[in-house]
Amino acid sequence: MNQPASAYFLEERHDPNETHTLSVLVQNEPGVLARVIGLFSGRGYNIDSLTVSETESQKHLSRITIVTTGTPMVIEQIKHQLDRMIPVYRVVDMTITGRSIERELAMVKVVGRGDSRVEALRLADAFRARVIDATTESFVFEITGNSSKISQFIDLMRPLGLLEVSRTGVAAIGRGPEGM
Amino acid sequence: MTDQSNDPNQMTGAAMIVRALIDHGVQHIFGYPGGAVLPIYDEIFQQSEVEHILVRHEQGAGHAAEGYARSTGKPGVVLVTSGPGATNMVTPLTDALMDSIPLVCITGQVPTHLIGNDAFQECDTVGITRPCTKHNWLVRDVNDLAKVLHEAFYVASSGRPGPVVVDVPKDVQFAVGTYHPPRKDDVHVSYTPRVKGDPMQIRKAVALLASAKRPVIYSGGGVINSGPEASKLLRELVEVTGFPITSTLMGLGAYPASGKNWLGMLGMHGTYEANMTMHGCDVMLCVGARFDDRITGRTDAFSPGSKKIHIDIDPSSINKNIRVDVPIIGDVGNVLGDLLQVFKAEAKKPDIKTWWQEIATWRARNSLAYKKSNDVILPQYAIQKLFEATRGHDTYITTEVGQHQMWAAQFFGFEEPHRWMTSGGLGTMGYGLPAALGVQVAHRDSLVIDIAGDASVQMTMQEMSTAVQFELPIKIFILNNQYMGMVRQWQQLLHGNRLSHSYSEALPDFVKLADAFGCVGIQAIKPGDLDGALKEMIKVKRPVLFDCRVAALENCFPMIPSGKAHNEMLLPVEATDEATAAAFAGGKALV
């Protein structure tokens, strides 16, 4: 199809998207998270999951784990754009290294009585979710695993009285003796 | 413990700022005072090492600092107040970020205890400027100030240069703390720009260059930013290889326009030979340029048969728009030096005679031709005349944005780097006049000319007052066609000639305006007036507004129509109404 007349080239490329998990080691200083998020929103990149916390308080280092989706060229751009930020030490693509473990934690509140309550507890047991709060009509389950396992568990709880969910987002780390 | 009162490094935050400027060799700063920077202005008043240029609007300070930086290679420094002072800097900061210009901007901020309270003239300066700076800082403790200022200068001028902002609350300016001169550990350990290219990649590049049959060198602003040595090495590379060379708008002057291998500028309004050479080449060496969309045309048809080598200091420039075969990350000057050494040791000048013959046929199309007239001044003719008149002078050119900018790039020949200041990436109308101020501050005795359009120049016209106050004899050469020419051209080509709001109904009389500002007004209406008027403009040692009345409806050619490739250029001789309509016809013809 011809594009309408414009000062810009309007056709988009349609390369297939990939999902990548990036670990970003940053100096924990004011505004650093805003910089990272601003980069993603400003350049139109996706954030599927974002997890951030200080990991080495002595050195003021924080580790940000970002799950993002884009074409291979966009993913490469994201890594370079992150890496050139002044407070960023390292960017590692956990998906490319291929030897990483990803985990997420969720707290899932389920409200119900009778059979559905028993069923919820039985399924929680099968998923190795722990009960961390209970009343006569509710449970809060804590479940850890990769994102798809957690999503599956949440889907199963839905008909059993799922009330709300709080998820941490993905944290990732490489296997083996080497650090990032 | 030393006695604090005798320690020369004990001082107020405001004094630290001035001291840091001196320690970094800053001789001129551009700024505008206000409540949140008064302590700094008080320090400036009491010293004579740093000269302050008072502008009329903060945007002017920013562009002046950009012109200063581009023409000297040193960072430009700006001092503005909080709130509106800072927000007025957003345009020059973004402009500098897009064109990789080193700027250090110091902004005042409301006192720390008022931050977040919607205080008078408060704004979230670091929040607002985060996406338009290379880095920025809010300094909450006076004892961090020295380190941050030193880091700011380093970040702005190292790696890929860019603008930085240091936001200093007023209480921090008053507070007393310890200053230290610049030292190594002032800088984030996480910031280590790569300067030296990978030798393996350089070897690969040399092998490609040596085997080329249809090579081209495509250079950009990175060569200028890398310093005069990089331009020298680029010239040597062209000499040693015998390759044709073209350049982006930002890179003009790195290779001389009079050089025999020069193809002219490439891109949307580049020459036919430059774009055809890019399209047909088998090996492309991109040196400090970034495959911007004004350069590439449609990316899927960009130089389809070539192996591409890309030298850039910023890894994020690699594979952003165009996939390249041999990326080399490093400083252009450094990499060119290594590359030349390897080439001279291991390779021979390839025989590309047939390629040059092909290029000659493209050149013969004379893509910059225009119809001359005895009655009206053609804008292209005006630039050619200006170029002739300035030969033999120590000339610096700035521009605004639009048709006049493209004509200046096409018709003014640049022989040296750092002589051409234009807003490339952001395309900021109003850039040229204040930029000329900055250039003139750095080069008091040189001839500094802003090639302007009648629309652009009105955006920062107030800075003529600065020129008069500081006796900066800038020449504003206005190609006055009474239109926003480039907007009108696009409307003619793309929107059925419906000239929606691109005509200036009520232009000021620029000659009288010059008089009102206390500078010199000159007007030229007929082609015959030009020589004498230009001579007068150059002779006058005062700021000049030159109202050059040009043909109103002239279009800027050649051009690559949108969505087209390099080999589908529209040439001036062929740009009849029908051909133009056909070239621009999309799914819906010209609607």
Side-chain angles (χ1 to χ4, degrees), chain A residues 131-142:
Chain A
V131 176
I132 54 173
D133 179 67
T135 67
T136 53
E137 52 182 336
S138 71
F139 287 120
V140 174
F141 296 114
E142 174 201 309

Side-chain angles (χ1 to χ4, degrees), chain B residues 302-350:
Chain B
F302 173 74
S303 192
S306 64
K307 292 273 185 205
K308 299 173 185 75
I309 305 160
H310 188 182
I311 306 172
D312 204 300
I313 199 160
D314 180 359
S316 77
S317 288
I318 309 277
N319 293 339
K320 181 163 66 180
N321 303 323
I322 298 291
R323 204 157 259 298
V324 297
D325 302 280
V326 184
I328 306 174
I329 297 175
D331 170 65
V332 164
N334 202 296
V335 173
L336 282 181
D338 291 351
L339 190 138
L340 257 168
Q341 214 174 14
V342 178
F343 191 96
K344 283 196 254 179
E346 298 177 7
K348 271 199 336 237
K349 200 177 204 170

